[in-house]
């Protein structure tokens, strides 16, 4: 049929179809078509944007243009290094624009007077052009901006205080322009990337900006002063400067200091109380346990002592042995309560630290089942697992002994102590921990063990900074558990594929900085909806936004997480595939982090 010659009838039909196709496209022409065409007419004398013409009237297919899938409106324009010139005025009517990057072109003249229609912009890069004149007042309409880069232009006039409207701003780069006047008292809590060097600024640097490095202020008027530059001669001014300073409020607002101290004290008291309570319960526990031994109830233990070996404290191969008594005599500190029981940190008499978990009575199966399971789990050794060392099983007491991990859990590293003064968990560390955790879970799956309870509090960090998966394989002892934020919607029982889902939620937690149980009960759904709207930049943890050059890796990791949390279990990748994908995110050692 395809090889048969076309009849005139066919040709007519084809012409008609193509005509009506063209007609329908023209009729539903995107409202963004004409602004873009007039932009090209004014700015592209060397016809670098040759595709931008009415032969293909859908702007979404043009070079440098992306659209929202939902309504086919132009959402991003990235035209860098194309020798474009003239003005960007026609672009100001693109009311759905979120990303505009025109860096390294030859645009000149003032910035457009009205930017109000661009209020959805999140990223605006106009650096390395020849823009001149002052910042238009309407710039402050762009309240959603994360990044504003106007560096390497000829902009002049003052830097307005109204930039404080950009409460989400992470990046403000105004260096290599002709700005003059004093620096305003900027109070931008998320600002991490700031540069006003090589302008004509003068006067004191407000305290809120004094934590940025010297090079962010260099090459201005010699009268620009105060930390991090030389001390001002009028020394009263910096002291007055910023009562609203978000970076160092403890020092400059003594009225807040007292409650803070009070809170610390309260926390200390509560902590001390908890410690004492743990001690007392352990002592009581020891007492009763011995009593039981003497009254014959702890026969097994006593018998074993008589034989010189504990028949119930079972050690896995190659492990240093100790007696149950050693454990019971050890000083202990509660680490936390989980689904399966309560965990303690115990110091044996020789100084060895171990983690001891007391399994809840109700949740345990029979003795034989327990022994069998523990033999399986106890033999698993991997650099990304917290190894089990021993276990103890008696009618009234089931204990699991494993290595103690002195460093925090991933959960603490991500969510603990947020706010000023916190050291954010950097991107390299997040990738490293995610990769290690993935390898740990993949190893379990290779050994036919389902973890059953993957979450950030079960990803511990060892002395070398490696992720180690804890509490694996215990889900078969658990009573039917309540749903949690990591559980796959389809999971009625624990499977490898439900582990993959939970791991996907963990990855989303690493990327977004949101705590699944508290802040975002359905993290996967939230992320999918945000990504669908092409607001991808908004899902990432604000603490990660300071790392340049890694956005690509973050987006790649996001796609892995989205694949893991697919609703249909058979569409999820296997854990070893996930581990490989995370490993491939960054060719080893080729990336360096920049943080400034
Ligand atoms: C118009 O765009 C098409 C591709 O979309 C290209 O093939 C054609 O050469 C362009 N026409 C002109 C006049 O630049
Ligand atoms: C840029 O445009 C100017 C004039 O429009 C032209 O002279 C110059 O050669 C162009 N440069 C490049 C790299 O295309
Ligand atoms: C803003 O958008 C409206 C509606 O699209 C349009 O009428 C108006 O001219 C635009 N303003 C500017 C300055 O482009
Ligand atoms: C900053 O704030 C202080 C006190 O609030 C004020 O004296 C000073 O003039 C302000 N500086 C600028 C540049 O607005
Ligand atoms: C600021 O920009 C200058 C170039 O004008 C550069 O040398 C300096 O390293 C930058 N400093 C920061 C902190 O970005
Ligand atoms: C707060 O100010 C004090 C005293 O100037 C300084 O030692 C400390 O490093 C500052 N802290 C932060 C987070 O900037």
């Amino acid at each position: 049929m395809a090889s048969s010659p076309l009849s005139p009838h066919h040709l007519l039909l084809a012409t008609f179809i193509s005509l009506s196709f063209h007609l329908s496209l023209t009729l539903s022409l995107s409202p963004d078509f004409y602004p873009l065409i007039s932009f090209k007419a004014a700015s592209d004398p060397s016809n670098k944007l040759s595709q931008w013409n009415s032969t293909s009237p859908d702007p979404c297919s043009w070079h440098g243009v992306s659209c929202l899938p939902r309504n086919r409106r132009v959402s991003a324009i990235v035209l860098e290094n194309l020798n474009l010139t003239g003005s960007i005025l026609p672009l100001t009517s693109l009311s759905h624009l979120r990303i505009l990057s025109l860096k390294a072109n030859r645009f000149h003249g003032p910035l457009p007077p009205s930017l109000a229609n661009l209020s959805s912009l999140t990223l605006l890069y106009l650096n390395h052009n020849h823009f001149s004149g002052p910042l238009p007042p309407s710039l402050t309409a762009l309240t959603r901006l994360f990044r504003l880069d106007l560096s390497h232009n000829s902009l002049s006039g003052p830097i307005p205080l109204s930039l404080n409207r950009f409460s989400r701003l992470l990046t403000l780069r105004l260096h290599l322009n002709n700005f003059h006047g004093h620096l305003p008292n900027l109070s931008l809590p998320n600002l991490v990337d700031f540069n006003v060097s090589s302008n004509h600024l003068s006067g004191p640097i407000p305290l809120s900006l004094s934590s940025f490095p010297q090079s962010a202020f260099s090459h201005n008027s010699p009268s620009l002063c105060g930390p991090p530059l030389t001390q001002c001669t009028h020394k009263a001014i910096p002291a007055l400067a910023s009562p609203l300073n978000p970076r160092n409020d403890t020092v400059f607002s003594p009225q807040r200091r007292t409650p803070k101290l009070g809170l610390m004290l309260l926390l200390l008291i509560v902590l001390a109380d908890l410690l004492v309570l743990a001690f007392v319960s352990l002592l009581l526990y020891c007492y009763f346990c011995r009593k039981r031994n003497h009254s014959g109830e702890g026969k097994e233990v006593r018998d074993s002592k008589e034989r010189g070996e504990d028949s119930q404290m079972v050690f896995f191969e190659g492990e240093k042995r100790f007696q149950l008594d050693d454990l019971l005599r050890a000083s202990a500190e509660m680490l936390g309560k989980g689904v399966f029981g309560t965990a303690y940190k115990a110091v044996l008499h020789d100084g060895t630290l171990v983690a001891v978990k007391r399994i809840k009575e109700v949740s345990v199966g029979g003795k034989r089942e327990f022994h069998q399971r523990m033999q399986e789990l106890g033999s698993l050794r991997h650099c990304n697992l917290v190894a089990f060392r021993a276990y103890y099983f008696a009618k009234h007491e089931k204990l699991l002994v494993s290595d103690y991990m002195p460093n925090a859990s991933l959960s603490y590293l991500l969510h603990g102590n947020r706010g000023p003064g916190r050291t954010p968990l950097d991107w390299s560390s997040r990738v490293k921990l995610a990769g290690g955790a993935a390898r740990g879970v993949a190893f379990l799956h290779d050994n036919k063990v389902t973890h059953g309870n993957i979450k950030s509090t079960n990803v511990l960090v060892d002395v070398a900074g490696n992720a180690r998966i804890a509490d694996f394989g215990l889900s078969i002892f658990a009573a039917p558990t309540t749903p949690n934020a990591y559980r796959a919607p389809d999971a009625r029982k624990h499977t490898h594929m439900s582990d993959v889902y939970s791991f996907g939620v963990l990855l989303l937690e690493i990327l977004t900085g949101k705590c699944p149980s508290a802040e975002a009960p359905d993290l996967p759904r939230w992320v999918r909806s945000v990504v669908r709207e092409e607001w991808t930049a908004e899902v990432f943890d604000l603490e990660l936004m300071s790392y340049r050059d890694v956005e690509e890796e973050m987006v790649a990791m996001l796609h892995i997480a989205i694949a893991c949390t697919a609703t249909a279990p058979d569409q999820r990748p296997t854990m070893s595939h996930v581990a490989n994908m995370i490993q491939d995110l960054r060719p080893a050692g080729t990336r360096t982090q920049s943080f400034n």
Side-chain angles (χ1 to χ4, degrees):
M1 173 124 171
S3 57
S4 72
L6 288 175
S7 68
H9 180 226
H10 278 130
L11 278 178
L12 202 66
L13 191 67
T15 314
F16 176 72
I17 290 173
S18 102
L19 254 181
S20 54
F21 181 62
H22 196 87
L23 203 67
S24 76
L25 271 177
T26 320
L27 283 179
S28 64
L29 203 56
S30 160
D32 299 327
F33 177 81
Y34 287 112
L36 289 176
I37 283 296
S38 55
F39 169 73
K40 178 189 152 54
S43 307
D44 185 22
S46 40
N47 196 28
K48 291 269 167 69
L49 309 175
S50 59
Q51 277 181 324
W52 291 33
N53 64 45
S54 42
T55 324
S56 59
D58 178 13
C60 305
S61 67
W62 293 352
H63 172 75
V65 178
S66 323
C67 297
L68 288 176
R70 179 166 45 86
N71 54 14
R72 311 292 291 163
R73 294 297 302 269
V74 172
S75 63
I77 295 182
V78 179
L79 298 170
E80 298 171 356
N81 224 335
L82 286 172
N83 207 7
L84 302 177
T85 184
S87 136
I88 62 168
L89 190 65
L91 298 182
T92 57
S93 59
L94 301 176
S95 55
H96 288 64
L97 206 57
R98 283 159 189 190
I99 297 170
L100 177 59
S101 178
L102 301 172
K103 71 174 129 187
N105 282 291
R106 296 188 301 116
F107 290 103
H108 55 82
L111 293 174
S114 173
L115 299 169
N117 278 351
L118 296 183
S119 62
S120 296
L121 269 185
T122 58
L123 310 177
L124 178 56
Y125 297 93
L126 299 177
N127 45 312
H128 292 86
N129 278 290
H130 307 298
F131 288 109
S132 57
L135 298 180
S138 66
L139 186 69
T140 54
L142 313 185
T143 53
R144 290 176 155 273
L145 276 185
F146 282 122
R147 300 187 190 275
L148 176 60
D149 194 339
L150 301 175
S151 62
H152 292 262
N153 278 292
S154 304
L155 297 165
S156 57
I159 296 175
L161 182 63
S162 55
L163 293 188
N164 275 337
R165 292 263 203 81
F166 300 157
S167 60
R168 303 173 175 200
L169 209 61
L170 304 156
T171 297
L172 180 58
R173 314 185 91 211
L174 302 175
H175 53 283
L176 282 150
N177 277 290
N178 299 319
F179 290 112
H180 62 78
H182 290 192
L183 271 170
N185 290 333
L186 290 182
S187 160
L188 299 167
N190 297 318
L191 195 62
V192 286
D193 182 8
F194 174 76
N195 202 336
V196 290
S197 64
S198 300
N199 280 287
H200 308 298
L201 299 167
S202 57
I205 294 171
L207 272 169
S208 53
L209 298 173
S210 62
S211 57
F212 289 100
Q214 217 169 330
S215 69
F217 301 97
S218 57
H219 300 97
N220 274 291
S221 150
S223 74
L224 187 67
C225 63
L229 302 183
T230 52
Q231 207 60 47
C232 297
T233 37
H234 293 296
K235 65 180 204 262
I237 296 169
L240 264 177
S242 180
L244 297 173
N245 180 354
R247 284 169 186 272
N248 209 336
D249 56 6
T250 54
V251 176
F252 296 98
S253 52
Q255 73 276 19
R256 277 202 225 160
R257 210 166 167 165
T258 332
K260 223 167 193 163
L261 233 165
L263 192 68
M264 282 289 285
L265 206 65
L266 194 71
L267 276 176
L268 270 178
I269 292 172
V270 169
L271 205 73
D273 274 352
L274 280 177
L275 276 178
V276 168
L277 201 70
F279 255 106
V280 169
S281 7
L282 205 85
L283 283 179
L284 275 177
Y285 169 65
C286 285
Y287 175 72
F288 280 113
C289 204
R290 285 167 161 253
K291 213 171 167 182
R292 244 179 15 210
N293 284 355
H294 291 296
S295 66
E297 275 178 56
K299 187 156 170 277
E300 287 162 340
V301 174
R302 195 186 51 197
D303 285 353
S304 69
K305 272 190 194 155
E306 281 161 5
R307 283 204 317 272
E309 204 193 8
D310 190 337
S311 67
Q312 292 302 318
M313 194 80 201
V314 182
F315 292 88
F316 300 117
E317 220 175 282
E319 295 310 329
K320 192 162 74 178
R321 292 170 181 244
F322 49 85
Q323 298 297 316
L324 179 65
D325 267 8
D326 291 343
L327 203 56
L328 299 180
R329 252 189 245 119
S331 60
E333 177 188 321
M334 193 168 100
L335 293 172
K337 275 189 172 179
V339 187
F340 307 114
T342 307
Y344 302 87
K345 161 186 162 185
V347 190
L348 301 180
H349 65 287
D350 67 347
T352 313
L353 288 173
V354 290
V356 182
K357 175 158 268 192
R358 293 180 71 178
I359 308 263
K360 277 183 202 159
E361 298 285 329
V362 286
S363 55
V364 184
K367 182 172 176 176
R368 185 183 297 275
E369 191 187 357
F370 189 87
H371 277 301
Q372 201 181 338
R373 185 64 173 172
M374 286 320 300
Q375 287 304 331
E376 277 168 43
L377 298 181
S379 63
L380 296 177
R381 292 287 182 276
H382 188 270
C383 57
N384 297 112
L385 292 184
V386 179
F388 287 115
R389 296 299 175 198
Y391 67 89
Y392 172 78
F393 188 101
K395 191 160 173 244
H396 297 291
E397 191 68 82
K398 286 101 196 152
L399 302 175
L400 278 177
V401 183
S402 53
D403 284 345
Y404 172 71
M405 295 290 130
N407 288 341
S409 68
L410 178 60
S411 172
Y412 179 80
L413 294 175
L414 286 172
H415 314 298
N417 188 30
R418 282 246 168 188
R422 165 188 155 86
T423 314
L425 185 58
D426 66 44
W427 176 243
S428 295
S429 308
R430 293 187 201 211
V431 176
K432 180 180 173 187
L433 293 174
R439 278 190 299 277
V441 180
F443 176 80
L444 291 176
H445 287 187
D446 288 345
N447 285 281
K448 311 222 166 351
V449 172
T450 299
H451 187 292
N453 194 21
I454 294 174
K455 53 182 179 178
S456 57
T457 48
N458 276 341
V459 178
L460 304 181
V461 182
D462 68 13
V463 277
N466 293 312
R468 284 179 179 259
I469 300 282
D471 259 12
F472 49 87
L474 301 180
S475 51
I476 60 161
F477 302 131
T481 43
T482 47
N484 73 33
Y486 294 86
R487 183 142 308 140
D490 56 292
R492 247 153 251 103
K493 64 198 260 287
H494 303 291
T495 62
H496 289 189
M497 284 299 121
S498 68
D499 272 356
V500 173
Y501 184 95
S502 307
F503 191 83
V505 179
L506 183 82
L507 288 184
L508 292 177
E509 183 177 357
I510 289 173
L511 283 165
T512 62
K514 290 192 190 309
C515 182
S517 35
E519 286 172 78
D522 197 344
L523 201 49
R525 207 176 65 152
W526 177 74
V527 167
R528 272 199 295 271
S529 69
V530 173
V531 171
R532 202 162 40 232
E533 295 289 312
E534 294 204 354
W535 285 91
T536 307
E538 289 206 354
V539 307
F540 297 123
D541 190 347
L542 283 185
E543 288 187 344
L544 286 175
M545 300 297 247
S546 51
Y547 297 91
R548 291 187 228 130
D549 309 327
V550 294
E551 277 168 7
E552 233 173 84
E553 290 176 16
M554 290 189 226
V555 172
M557 175 96 97
L558 184 69
H559 286 296
I560 300 173
I562 290 174
C564 291
T565 52
T567 331
D570 56 355
Q571 281 171 9
R572 297 173 200 152
T574 63
M575 232 22 244
S576 56
H577 189 193
V578 172
N580 290 339
M581 286 192 287
I582 295 176
Q583 191 174 339
D584 292 345
L585 278 183
R586 40 175 50 202
T590 58
R591 295 258 185 187
T592 48
Q593 290 284 308
S594 57
F595 181 89
N596 56 31

